Amino acid sequence: MPLLVLKNMKTEILKVDPEEPEPLKIKAAAKILHDGGLVAFPTETVYGLGADAFNPEAVKKIFEVKGRPSDNPLIVHVASISEVYRLAKEVPKKAERLMKRFWPGPLTLVFKKMSVVPDIVTAGLDTVAIRMPDNEAALAMIREAGTPIVAPSANTFSKPSPTTPGHVVSDLYGKIELILDGGNTRIGVESTVVDVTTDSVLLLRPGGLDLEEIEAVVGRVELHPAVKAMPNVNGHAAKAPGMKYKHYAPNAKVVLVEGGGEKIVRNVNSLIRVFVRRGSVVGVITMREGEFYDTDKVKFMRDFNTFAKNLFTAFREFDKIGVDVIIVEGVEERGLGLAIMNRLRKASSQIIHV
Ligand code: TXA
Ligand code: MG
């Protein structure tokens, strides 16, 4: 239950330059964090909702404000690789290679944790997820706060992650102290989460950094079954506990159409007609340009980068104009396509193979 005190709080919104953040604004954000408050801030992936990782009371507020189940652990954000050695009990060689190559950037590593990391951060697990975001405002804020910052995506639980300051405002205005507005995020899907606590490297959540790029550094990466599966479908143990919930979902019903080749447009059009006959307003998300769809509400994604960057915005925009059903055409699971398909499967209430 969200606490009453958290509602109708005065939320300040400060525009920051994501490349050369204004020091006074960064100081203001750091002070709030230091005093146990919450600050939404831009990263290269999605907006984060930050709190001091070493202040359990502040971390607790994150779960309350988001309405997030307390068994879903948070990512700790750092501003330098050296901080990892104060949080992680073991830092294997392969992790050092990955950090050197990809940090700052959209890669989160799961380590065995030191006991100084509060239980509320890790939901009682003996591991801790850590990442260094590639955004100067975020890095300056973490540095100035002088403490690692936990940050889930700055959306209400189960809603699409926020990729614009407007998304953060609509989910969290009146509930947190400050929103740092650094413009739209560059990548648009969350970081790739990789477990390095065992002999192999295990992908828990595909994200902004391609699997292929990681494999080029550490060799073969294993995929946790949930990466490609529907949540709850196969009853796999939740190694990344966030996997078991329906996520990223707009209010509209999402129908994912997978496979299909040549026939896909015809199949999508018959689907559209079925839903329209039932009185639904239908939107389509597609990478096919110049095709005819039986609705005027079509969002065209030119390539994987555009798709990732605009996916959550598309969901929210369709909701705004009263779309009831969003039909999305699946994409190939390579590069960013793996993260896109993961988010689509988790958001959809129906998957149709054609
Ligand atoms: O790009 C991102 O990662 C964004 C920005 C704000 O940095 N953050 C983000 O946080 O996506 P969140 O809380 O929405 O997702 C964190 C994911 C969840 O799937 C969670 O289960 C997993 O990381 N995770 C966190 N700690 C973990 C741990 N110790 N072991 C396994 N998975 C963990
Ligand atoms: Mg999230």
Side-chain angles (χ1 to χ4, degrees):
M1 277 290 279
L3 293 182
L4 273 179
V5 286
L6 296 170
K7 288 183 179 161
N8 303 318
M9 176 183 284
K10 188 181 172 312
T11 301
E12 199 171 348
I13 302 175
L14 288 176
K15 264 199 192 330
V16 280
D17 185 328
E19 267 127 52
E20 287 177 52
E22 300 80 350
L24 281 181
K25 296 178 182 175
I26 294 303
K27 280 211 165 74
K31 169 137 198 338
I32 290 168
L33 293 168
H34 181 262
D35 294 345
L38 304 186
V39 176
F41 63 97
T43 80
E44 80 281 31
T45 55
V46 302
Y47 270 80
L49 177 59
D52 177 353
F54 286 122
N55 182 340
E57 283 304 310
V59 178
K60 189 162 162 245
K61 283 197 272 181
I62 286 186
F63 288 94
E64 289 164 355
V65 159
K66 277 185 63 100
R68 177 180 175 115
S70 59
D71 64 350
N72 193 2
L74 303 172
I75 297 172
V76 179
H77 294 62
V78 298
S80 73
I81 291 180
S82 61
E83 283 176 77
V84 170
Y85 296 85
R86 302 195 300 131
L87 303 163
K89 198 150 76 180
E90 281 164 36
V91 183
K93 276 264 146 10
K94 61 195 176 200
E96 286 180 332
R97 289 209 301 275
L98 289 171
M99 292 190 286
K100 241 188 169 158
R101 174 75 179 79
F102 297 116
W103 281 11
L107 172 67
T108 295
L109 297 173
V110 174
F111 298 97
K112 296 217 170 86
K113 87 174 183 85
M114 295 266 233
S115 55
V116 287
V117 181
D119 278 342
I120 189 168
V121 169
T122 62
L125 297 177
D126 60 358
T127 55
V128 59
I130 310 177
R131 95 173 188 98
M132 191 196 302
D134 186 16
N135 177 290
E136 279 309 318
L139 291 172
M141 184 190 78
I142 298 165
R143 248 180 257 125
E144 183 70 32
T147 177
I149 299 297
V150 286
S153 47
N155 53 302
T156 309
F157 175 64
S158 91
K159 289 285 158 225
S161 294
T163 54
T164 74
H167 297 164
V168 182
V169 170
S170 75
D171 280 17
L172 299 179
Y173 192 85
K175 297 182 179 173
I176 62 175
E177 280 82 356
L178 174 66
I179 297 170
L180 283 181
D181 168 356
N184 296 356
T185 62
R186 178 165 57 80
I187 295 174
V189 289
E190 301 84 345
S191 61
T192 302
V193 181
V194 159
D195 184 327
V196 291
T197 61
T198 59
D199 284 342
S200 57
V201 178
L202 179 64
L203 178 69
L204 299 180
R205 177 179 76 179
L209 180 66
D210 296 353
L211 176 64
E212 294 85 341
E213 288 213 55
I214 297 172
E215 289 192 319
V217 174
V218 294
R220 211 185 138 65
V221 171
E222 273 183 56
L223 267 56
H224 188 282
V227 167
K228 290 192 178 190
M230 289 273 288
N232 287 326
V233 165
N234 302 330
H236 295 297
K239 183 127 191 186
M243 289 169 173
K244 67 184 186 215
Y245 302 105
K246 182 168 171 186
H247 255 165
Y248 317 112
N251 298 323
K253 170 189 165 87
V254 177
V255 178
L256 175 60
V257 181
E258 292 194 32
E262 302 285 284
K263 293 182 307 211
I264 194 150
V265 179
R266 212 166 356 113
N267 279 303
V268 166
N269 275 331
S270 8
L271 260 182
I272 293 174
R273 285 192 292 273
V274 169
F275 285 113
V276 167
R277 235 178 284 132
R278 292 184 200 162
S280 301
V281 178
V282 182
V284 169
I285 300 178
T286 177
M287 289 186 75
R288 274 163 241 273
E289 197 174 15
E291 295 285 356
F292 176 81
Y293 291 93
D294 259 353
T295 168
D296 59 354
K297 295 173 181 57
V298 178
K299 296 206 185 278
F300 166 64
M301 306 295 188
R302 194 177 346 110
D303 48 34
F304 282 172
N305 286 332
T306 312
F307 206 139
K309 192 177 158 103
N310 296 307
L311 172 62
F312 294 137
T313 299
F315 279 171
R316 284 178 185 254
E317 283 178 3
F318 273 148
D319 272 347
K320 231 184 213 160
I321 61 169
V323 165
D324 305 298
V325 178
I326 302 172
I327 301 176
V328 193
E329 292 174 2
V331 302
E332 219 185 306
E333 284 174 286
R334 58 174 169 80
L336 259 184
L338 189 62
I340 294 168
M341 282 304 280
N342 170 274
R343 303 307 186 270
L344 290 178
R345 291 199 183 113
K346 294 186 96 181
S348 52
S349 25
Q350 200 178 343
I351 298 181
I352 297 175
H353 293 265
V354 294

